[in-house]
């Protein structure tokens, strides 16, 4: 993680009305752009830095920053970035939050970059949440990434566009991950949909990716103590649900259709307990694939009480 000490900062802005915003500035209160901020000649770590309770209202203007690692770097308490277009390079992150208790993005546009937003929290840091609303983070390598190992993460992506992500639309690693519904957000056309890790548990409810045109894996979960997928519809992809090296996996009242592999549960080192119930798979090449890659086999496999499961395969048990 790049720390703030390496940043070259030109000034601290103390009043929205007293100072113009310049490339390299650090913002600690509320400021507004009055025109596009062209940072093409700026080569610091970020174009702007927000600290404490800094608020940036872009008023619809652009931050043009082709030569920095990050468009906006945030560190502190309550940080808000709204109504701004960030234009960077293909290796950069549009917004990076480091140990921010609450980072709010509203009406932020960032495309054709490595990440739309990167929210990073140290394991011993206080953390609240990342909220992204009404934003266009499409056509990036990763739409949004959250690493918050000490946090309970609830899905707060609302009315936002993560479509056409060339790697993964949304990546989340936390102590507890809860994802319920898409909240009118768009993931269509991405190589992969959600990549999730919850050291204690991952709960997925009311997700419908059946028409998302995601070509790879729609939901991938790894290295989690408990994985529970409920009332979720997947399909029309290479893989609907893929769970790897997790202790307990429960799939209930869910459906996967027309995929290469509907549900894949695999392990290498963890003796997984799997329970698939009240669920359906149909039109898949393999409806359910259960397999071990190492010497550790599953502790339990229960696939009873389902409506319909098309061809399933249990390997290396």
């Amino acid at each position: 993680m790049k720390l703030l000490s390496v940043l070259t900062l030109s000034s601290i802005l103390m009043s929205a009305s007293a100072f113009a915003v310049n490339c390299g500035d650090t913002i600690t209160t509320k400021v507004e752009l009055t025109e596009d901020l062209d940072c093409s000649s700026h080569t610091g770590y970020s174009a702007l830095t927000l600290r404490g309770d800094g608020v940036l209202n872009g008023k619809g203007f652009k931050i043009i920053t082709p030569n920095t690692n990050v468009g906006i770097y945030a560190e502190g308490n309550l940080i808000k970035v709204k109504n701004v277009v960030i234009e960077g390079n293909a290796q950069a992150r549009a917004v990076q939050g480091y140990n921010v208790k609450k980072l709010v993005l509203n009406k932020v546009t960032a495309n054709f970059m490595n990440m739309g937003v990167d929210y990073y929290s140290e394991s011993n840091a206080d953390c609240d949440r990342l909220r992204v609303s009404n934003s266009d983070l499409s056509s990036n390598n990763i739409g949004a990434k959250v690493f918050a190992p000490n946090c309970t993460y609830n899905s707060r992506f609302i009315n936002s566009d993560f479509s056409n992500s060339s790697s993964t639309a949304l990546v989340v690693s936390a102590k507890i991950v809860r994802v319920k519904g898409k909240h009118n957000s768009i993931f269509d056309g991405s190589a992969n949909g959600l990549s999730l890790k919850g050291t204690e548990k991952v709960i997925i409810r009311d997700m419908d990716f059946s028409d998302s045109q995601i070509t790879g894996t729609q939901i991938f979960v790894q290295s989690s103590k408990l994985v529970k997928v409920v009332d979720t519809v997947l399909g029309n992809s290479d893989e609907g649900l893929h769970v790897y090296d997790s202790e307990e996996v429960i799939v209930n009242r869910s459906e996967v259709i027309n995929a290469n592999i509907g549900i894949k549960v695999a392990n290498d080192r963890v003796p997984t307990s799997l329970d698939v119930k009240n669920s359906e798979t149909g039109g898949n090449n393999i409806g359910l694939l259960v397999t071990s890659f190492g010497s550790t086999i599953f502790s339990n496999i229960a696939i009873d009480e389902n409506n319909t499961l098309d061809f399933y395969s249990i390997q290396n048990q």
Side-chain angles (χ1 to χ4, degrees), residues 10-303:
S10 64
S11 63
I12 305 292
L13 297 187
M14 301 306 294
S15 169
S17 59
F19 298 95
V21 180
N22 298 303
C23 301
D25 280 340
T26 293
I27 297 166
T28 59
T29 56
K30 183 178 180 179
V31 299
E32 297 178 348
L33 295 183
T34 57
E35 60 183 359
D36 289 347
L37 182 64
D38 190 348
C39 299
S40 298
S41 60
H42 181 69
T43 57
Y45 183 68
S46 64
L48 293 175
T49 296
L50 274 66
R51 302 197 70 185
D53 295 307
V55 177
L56 175 68
N57 186 346
K59 305 293 285 187
F61 292 110
K62 296 179 181 179
I63 298 175
I64 303 166
T65 179
N67 298 309
T68 61
N69 300 89
V70 175
I72 296 173
Y73 176 87
E75 182 175 346
N77 185 35
L78 172 58
I79 304 293
K80 295 182 180 181
V81 180
K82 57 185 179 180
N83 200 14
V84 67
V85 178
I86 302 172
E87 294 184 354
N89 64 73
Q91 289 74 46
R93 289 158 285 186
V95 179
Q96 179 187 7
Y98 174 65
N99 284 353
V100 181
K101 290 184 181 180
K102 186 176 181 180
L103 177 60
V104 178
L105 275 60
N106 184 36
K107 295 183 180 179
V108 174
T109 298
N111 314 119
F112 307 107
M113 300 179 69
N114 185 31
M115 293 186 199
V117 56
D118 181 12
Y119 180 86
Y120 185 99
S121 177
E122 299 286 358
S123 59
N124 61 348
D126 292 333
C127 54
D128 187 342
R129 58 185 179 270
L130 167 70
R131 178 185 174 93
V132 179
S133 59
N134 308 306
S135 294
D136 179 2
L137 304 181
S138 63
S139 300
N140 297 298
N141 184 40
I142 295 174
K145 181 178 180 180
V146 175
F147 179 82
N150 197 40
C151 302
T152 296
Y153 173 81
N154 294 300
S155 179
R156 293 180 175 90
F157 296 94
I158 301 169
N159 297 321
S160 293
D161 189 351
F162 304 97
S163 65
N164 300 309
S165 299
S166 59
S167 174
T168 307
L170 175 61
V171 179
V172 177
S173 178
K175 182 166 68 174
I176 298 173
V177 178
R178 295 189 181 98
V179 178
K180 183 177 181 180
K182 293 165 68 175
H183 302 288
N184 295 319
S185 289
I186 304 170
F187 301 87
D188 295 5
S190 296
N192 298 286
L194 309 183
S195 178
L196 309 175
K197 177 181 178 180
T199 51
E200 288 192 3
K201 57 186 173 183
V202 173
I203 308 297
I204 301 165
R205 292 181 180 271
D206 301 320
M207 297 297 291
D208 188 345
F209 278 162
S210 57
D211 295 321
S212 64
Q213 302 177 27
I214 292 172
T215 55
T217 302
Q218 293 177 321
I219 300 178
F220 175 71
V221 185
Q222 63 174 322
S223 304
S224 302
K225 188 172 183 180
L226 169 65
V227 179
K228 192 170 184 179
V229 182
V230 183
D231 297 324
T232 290
V233 182
L234 306 169
N236 296 297
S237 63
D238 184 49
E239 292 181 332
L241 172 68
H242 184 165
V243 182
Y244 176 73
D245 251 355
S246 296
E247 292 186 27
E248 183 178 5
V249 180
I250 300 172
V251 180
N252 189 19
R253 301 195 306 270
S254 295
E255 181 181 5
V256 189
I257 56 173
N258 302 328
N260 181 32
I261 300 175
I263 301 170
K264 180 177 181 179
V265 183
N267 66 3
D268 187 6
R269 298 173 298 275
V270 177
T272 305
S273 173
L274 171 65
D275 187 3
V276 181
K277 56 188 177 182
N278 305 313
S279 297
E280 297 184 31
T281 67
N284 307 287
N285 289 331
I286 299 177
L288 172 65
L289 173 60
V290 179
T291 186
S292 296
F293 295 112
S295 59
T296 303
I297 63 174
F298 279 56
S299 61
N300 176 66
I301 300 173
I303 53 175

